[in-house]
Amino acid sequence: MADAFTIVPGAYAGGLRYLDVIGDAATGRVFLHGAHVTSWRPDGEDESLVWLSERAIFADETAIRGGVPICFPWFGPNRPTPEGPAHGLARLSEWRFEGAAETDAGVAVTLGLDQDAPAAVPGWGAAFRVDEQDEGEVRFQARYTVTFGSSLTTSLSVTNTGSRAIGFEAAIHTYYPVSDVRQVSVSGLEGYPFVERGAGGGAGEPIRFTREVDRVYPAAPSALRLTDPGAGRRFTLESSGAAGWVVWNPFRDKAAAMGDFGDEEWRSMVCLEPVSLGEAMIWLQPGQSHGLGVVSTPQTLPDR
Ligand code: TA6
């Protein structure tokens, strides 16, 4: 049977190549730069169900603002070397297209990355945590499979192909579109400890957004719900291989301070990110692998 999907390779935006996926259940777009999903539109939806800034910059040395950035091999400012960029090197590296296939869950696109990948910023040689007592070579093979269907499934798998143990952090940093962030709630994290890195704008539990929220839940359950009455929609999220979550909205002031983020765009997005970081970072012995990902499923809210 002929494949029920089309991959349109080699299209360009700002000099970066991307693939357009046209399947029966959904369409999508993923850039080779960062293996960065920028669009996912399930059949029947009028718009993409991943948010993308109108000011996103498409350039080698910049992470695309919005969509689904991959944070690897560290999260945020937890860089092992002073010159390392926020959220690691993977979202600034050129991934290899390794193939696509029709599955029951939609069109699965796989991209690969290793320490020899061209990265806008160098540094794979010092990108991982290692035991200084160890000797041997640091090498890895990452594979990222994103499945465009009625749900969006993202899965990052990392294998230690070197000869010494490596430690790393990882997150799938998805931007979800919402009608108005001040009207939505995030449930599933009630009662779990968190570190607030922002202005502490999360009111109560379920989380509501009244100011900047930048919360790290180092250890929390795998299921979240993002409820958006204004859009009549709920996203259910189910993570795998992650220790916790990050919840982020920049709100007005931080959005205004970001050049690739529209001043009013803070109202229309929420980031919910399965993450393993800090004491829960992932350590792999030579030959070991670990997978981390999330399935995001939109549901229509019943009429009240
Ligand atoms: O995931 C939340 C966060 O770590 C925030 O602190 C904010 O920096 C956000 O990521 C975006 O980071 P970026 O490097 O993409 O601007």
Side-chain angles (χ1 to χ4, degrees):
M1 180 182 84
D3 286 332
F5 66 91
T6 305
I7 293 275
V8 180
Y12 288 74
L16 303 181
R17 285 187 298 152
Y18 60 85
L19 304 170
D20 274 340
V21 173
I22 302 150
D24 290 339
T27 62
R29 175 169 292 179
V30 55
F31 279 77
L32 300 186
H33 173 66
H36 202 128
V37 171
T38 57
S39 176
W40 159 55
R41 189 178 59 77
D43 189 36
E45 292 288 346
D46 298 331
E47 59 183 11
S48 171
L49 294 190
V50 291
W51 179 92
L52 184 69
S53 172
E54 292 171 0
R55 295 197 189 171
I57 298 167
F58 296 88
D60 276 339
E61 66 283 357
T62 304
I64 298 167
R65 176 65 62 196
V68 186
I70 299 170
C71 304
F72 169 75
W74 64 83
F75 183 84
N78 304 344
R79 53 183 67 88
T81 55
E83 67 277 4
H87 288 327
L89 301 177
R91 65 177 189 170
L92 299 173
S93 296
E94 176 91 358
W95 290 62
R96 294 182 311 274
F97 173 56
E98 296 195 347
E102 181 80 20
T103 72
D104 292 342
V107 178
V109 176
T110 298
L111 302 106
L113 181 75
D114 61 32
Q115 66 289 327
D116 301 326
V121 287
W124 280 113
F128 291 86
R129 263 69 176 188
V130 294
D131 178 345
E132 297 304 338
Q133 308 304 316
D134 264 352
E135 293 182 346
E137 203 178 12
V138 171
R139 298 179 69 83
F140 76 97
Q141 171 66 53
R143 279 211 168 73
Y144 181 61
T145 299
V146 55
T147 304
F148 297 96
S150 55
S151 297
L152 181 71
T153 301
T154 54
S155 177
L156 174 67
S157 173
V158 179
T159 299
N160 181 344
T161 53
S163 55
R164 67 189 296 180
I166 55 174
F168 61 88
E169 299 176 331
I172 305 289
H173 194 301
T174 307
Y175 288 69
Y176 295 91
V178 296
S179 57
D180 181 338
V181 70
R182 295 165 296 185
Q183 308 301 325
V184 308
S185 62
V186 174
S187 46
L189 296 169
E190 292 81 346
Y192 285 87
F194 63 88
V195 174
E196 177 63 67
R197 290 177 166 178
E205 294 187 328
I207 302 168
R208 292 188 175 282
F209 299 83
T210 58
R211 291 195 312 272
E212 178 197 4
V213 173
D214 192 352
R215 286 190 181 185
V216 177
Y217 290 80
S222 59
L224 285 196
R225 289 178 307 285
L226 168 59
T227 302
D228 182 354
R233 174 170 55 224
R234 169 176 294 133
F235 285 102
T236 61
L237 281 59
E238 183 68 40
S239 71
S240 57
W245 292 91
V246 171
V247 180
W248 179 60
N249 179 278
F251 234 74
R252 188 177 285 108
D253 295 347
K254 181 153 283 182
M258 293 189 281
D260 60 351
F261 203 118
D263 290 358
E264 298 305 317
E265 286 187 320
W266 57 273
R267 301 170 193 268
S268 59
M269 50 67 67
V270 175
C271 285
L272 299 173
E273 313 155 31
V275 68
S276 288
L277 56 75
E279 292 180 6
M281 80 163 61
I282 299 154
W283 279 91
L284 297 179
Q285 293 299 324
Q288 286 185 327
S289 298
H290 182 89
L292 182 149
V294 58
V295 181
S296 306
T297 304
Q299 298 169 331
T300 301
L301 288 178
D303 292 332
R304 283 183 296 278

